[in-house]
Amino acid sequence: MQLQVISNRATDQDAYVPPRKSWRRLLRRMLVLFALLAVPFGGATVLAASAGAAVGTFSYTPNLHPLGFSDRVVPLDNNVPGQSIINSDLAFWGRLAFQGTYDGFRIIDISSPSNPFEIINYTGCSGGTTVGNQGDVLVWQNLLIRSWNSPVSAGSAATASCGGQLVGQGFEGLSIFDISNPASPVLIKNLRMASDTVPTGCGSHTATLVPDVARGNVYVYNSGSSGACPGIDIVKIPLGNPASAAFLRREPAGRSCHDTGVILGEVNLISCAGGNGFTVWSFDPSIDAPAVGSIEDPVQLYSRSITGVTIGHSAAFTWDGEVLIFGHEPGGGTQARCQASSSLVDRTLFFFEARTGALLGQFVQPRPQTSLENCTWHNYNVVPTDKRYVLVSGNYQMGISVIEFTNPANAYEVAYADPAPLVNPNNPAAIETGGDWSTYWYNGRIYESDITRGLIIWNLSSNITAGSYTFDHLNPQTQETSFPFKGTAFGRNRAADQQGMAIFGESAADDVSGGTGSDEGFSGDGDGYASE
């Protein structure tokens, strides 16, 4: 991966560039023609207006501007087909965005962020159903890797398929596609990771890509998010023969892993978030696998529990590897856990010293949500700049939050985009699940994967991201490089660390239980918001 300052575009001889075929020019010309036909001369284009329409119910800060929109609208009415086939996570390669869905994935051309267009809405993973949920995606050059989360039931076995191939009863795991022609993905392999495989698997709830290009491989650190599979499932995909991809082993964590964050470069740390906290490992990419300390067998540093946390969800690092950002998902993402009356721990994001687990600070959601909005901190990444620590986060129906945490003990929100509550047409007194599945910074823009709307692209006008780097690709949970922090306002206050425990070299005994669910001992201040 190459990185450059935001004013330049990163290039990489290995980066996948969409072939300049007639189909791509034709799609662009058709979209322009439709816009011209639909709008009087001199008026705003349909595509530009659609971004504003998509966020018509949002409240957002003046420094956030809706820029582009690619719709994949999911019906809210339970009686309408497609109601539950929602949008999930995002990945990027060059000028393409990849959005997972519960029955496939989308490939979207983002060459012009104000005018994105869908190349394909691929629905070939038990299309029209949620059997193949949840569809998180990874991408590497001409490969796309998709997560299949739940085992195929006996009742669905006769029809459950992905890529035109029946997967069989009990299937769960990963599907690998060739996207050399993004308009026509081709299945390479459905990799079974199930109760009847060796090692025993629990499917793929989320997945993290770890490249080892020097040896001709990419690895997937797979998270089954199941107590029956406590740890990281390690999958090896040879780039020269991806059809030979294999499930190698499970790295024990002492907890179920919901999401796994990785940073390479000079840092080389891994963190699995799950249960009542997180576990951290180190590895050395120069060590040949399968030796201890290699990508295939990392060395555990410590495991950390947090009082009151029951569903650890996300872990990311600052680009210097100094700070670990931990988020959790009380209620599983479908409950209203961001109300003013919700517990403080439910609404809190945590900052820890990455190599020791010492608590550095915490940030409480500054905008309480209603009783009809599903909400937690969910999927996020850190803006690649060496001048500040800045987090961009998607939080279900709390929407987007941009947080400056250069001083983790005094983090504050600098921008947000918060949608109005969705209305459940079948029962207006019940929660209609929706909002942000994930929100990421990629090459100067904010990309929001909205569960029921599609892909929304935003521009942030703020000096906190000045001098940020661009990459030629980005996968969720993976930071392929690191760089030193050069900012001048690094004053971290290492307050007394009285929350939970750090166990070095092994897992904490209570990690398997997922925590107590109690707020006792929580030391948040109940504010965490500054308006500047």
Side-chain angles (χ1 to χ4, degrees):
M1 167 177 282
Q2 295 184 2
L3 74 171
Q4 297 181 359
V5 176
I6 194 69
S7 59
N8 298 318
R9 277 306 205 204
T11 59
D12 186 332
Q13 63 181 359
D14 294 325
Y16 173 72
V17 177
R20 296 181 179 178
K21 302 288 187 182
S22 59
W23 65 265
R24 192 170 183 274
R25 292 196 299 270
L26 179 61
L27 280 173
R28 179 68 70 185
R29 289 171 180 170
M30 288 174 64
L31 286 169
V32 172
L33 178 61
F34 291 158
L36 290 174
L37 290 174
V39 180
F41 181 76
T45 68
V46 169
L47 293 175
S50 67
V55 301
T57 66
F58 289 42
S59 61
Y60 48 93
T61 50
N63 56 359
L64 267 182
H65 315 283
L67 186 62
F69 176 53
S70 176
D71 71 296
R72 184 184 175 276
V73 177
V74 177
L76 304 185
D77 190 330
N78 293 337
N79 300 310
V80 176
Q83 185 275 336
S84 55
I85 307 171
I86 62 176
N87 307 308
S88 60
D89 212 357
L90 294 172
F92 305 88
W93 196 275
R95 298 171 297 187
L96 298 180
F98 302 83
Q99 184 176 40
T101 71
Y102 267 39
D103 66 352
F105 52 86
R106 304 173 71 210
I107 303 180
I108 305 163
D109 188 310
I110 55 171
S111 299
S112 172
S114 62
N115 187 22
F117 72 91
E118 180 184 278
I119 295 171
I120 189 171
N121 177 25
Y122 182 84
T123 59
C125 295
S126 285
T129 76
T130 60
V131 172
N133 73 91
Q134 61 185 21
D136 286 13
V137 288
L138 306 172
V139 63
W140 189 265
Q141 297 178 356
N142 66 322
L143 299 179
L144 181 141
I145 303 153
R146 181 186 184 275
S147 293
W148 185 301
N149 177 61
S150 304
V152 174
S153 68
S156 300
T159 56
S161 66
C162 193
Q165 180 185 99
L166 291 174
V167 294
Q169 183 176 343
F171 175 85
E172 50 187 335
L174 296 168
S175 297
I176 304 169
F177 288 86
D178 182 345
I179 53 169
S180 297
N181 178 358
S184 183
V186 177
L187 178 73
I188 296 173
K189 182 173 187 174
N190 286 319
L191 178 63
R192 191 178 182 98
M193 305 171 70
S195 60
D196 57 357
T197 60
V198 180
T200 300
C202 293
S204 180
H205 191 68
T206 66
T208 303
L209 190 143
V210 186
D212 186 19
V213 178
R215 298 179 181 87
N217 305 305
V218 294
Y219 289 86
V220 174
Y221 284 175
N222 182 72
S223 300
S225 191
S226 170
C229 299
I232 300 171
D233 295 338
I234 300 178
V235 173
K236 180 179 179 180
I237 305 176
L239 292 173
N241 183 18
S244 66
F247 177 15
L248 301 180
R249 61 181 293 268
R250 175 168 301 116
E251 173 61 29
R255 64 174 72 251
S256 62
C257 293
H258 193 290
D259 283 43
T260 299
V262 173
I263 181 169
L264 289 90
E266 299 299 317
V267 178
N268 299 314
L269 292 176
I270 306 162
S271 181
C272 137
N276 63 2
F278 59 95
T279 302
V280 173
W281 297 259
S282 68
F283 66 100
D284 183 347
S286 70
I287 297 176
D288 290 332
V292 174
S294 69
I295 290 176
E296 291 185 14
D297 193 4
V299 176
Q300 187 179 133
L301 299 181
Y302 66 91
S303 193
R304 180 70 152 80
S305 64
I306 305 166
T307 303
V309 168
T310 58
I311 304 177
H313 188 281
S314 300
F317 298 93
T318 52
W319 289 92
D320 58 1
E322 292 293 321
V323 180
L324 184 152
I325 306 98
F326 172 81
H328 63 121
E329 191 180 42
T334 61
Q335 297 180 11
R337 302 298 282 266
C338 302
Q339 300 177 72
S341 59
S342 298
S343 73
L344 209 54
V345 69
D346 278 3
R347 296 183 284 132
T348 296
L349 188 71
F350 298 89
F351 307 108
F352 294 95
E353 190 172 79
R355 290 193 178 272
T356 68
L359 182 66
L360 299 173
Q362 52 219 22
F363 180 72
V364 178
Q365 290 160 339
R367 289 167 288 109
Q369 304 293 293
T370 71
S371 62
L372 294 178
E373 293 175 280
N374 60 302
C375 175
T376 70
W377 297 104
H378 201 226
N379 289 322
Y380 44 77
N381 72 349
V382 178
V383 176
T385 172
D386 56 14
K387 298 174 178 60
R388 296 175 185 256
Y389 292 162
V390 181
L391 188 79
V392 174
S393 181
N395 317 293
Y396 291 120
Q397 290 202 65
M398 193 179 80
I400 298 171
S401 183
V402 181
I403 302 162
E404 208 278 8
F405 67 105
T406 306
N407 179 356
N410 190 30
Y412 60 94
E413 186 175 67
V414 296
Y416 69 82
D418 192 339
L422 293 174
V423 177
N424 186 325
N426 305 105
N427 180 4
I431 293 173
E432 179 65 53
T433 299
D436 287 12
W437 186 282
S438 51
T439 301
Y440 299 126
W441 177 274
Y442 178 62
N443 291 352
R445 309 295 183 195
I446 292 174
Y447 291 82
E448 176 184 19
S449 179
D450 188 288
I451 289 172
T452 61
R453 294 179 175 92
L455 176 67
I456 306 171
I457 304 172
W458 298 79
N459 184 56
L460 174 65
S461 301
S462 174
N463 63 7
I464 67 166
T465 59
S468 61
Y469 297 107
T470 65
F471 298 140
D472 46 49
H473 62 275
L474 181 73
N475 278 294
Q477 291 98 235
T478 302
Q479 296 166 257
E480 290 182 36
T481 189
S482 64
F483 42 81
F485 179 78
K486 298 178 181 177
T488 59
F490 189 72
R492 293 190 300 179
N493 177 20
R494 303 189 182 193
D497 182 17
Q498 298 176 346
Q499 187 131 31
M501 64 191 77
I503 307 294
F504 290 83
E506 59 182 3
S507 298
D510 63 349
D511 281 347
V512 177
S513 71
T516 64
S518 167
D519 294 340
E520 184 179 355
F522 183 69
S523 55
D525 60 10
D527 184 7
Y529 179 71
S531 59
E532 64 261 41

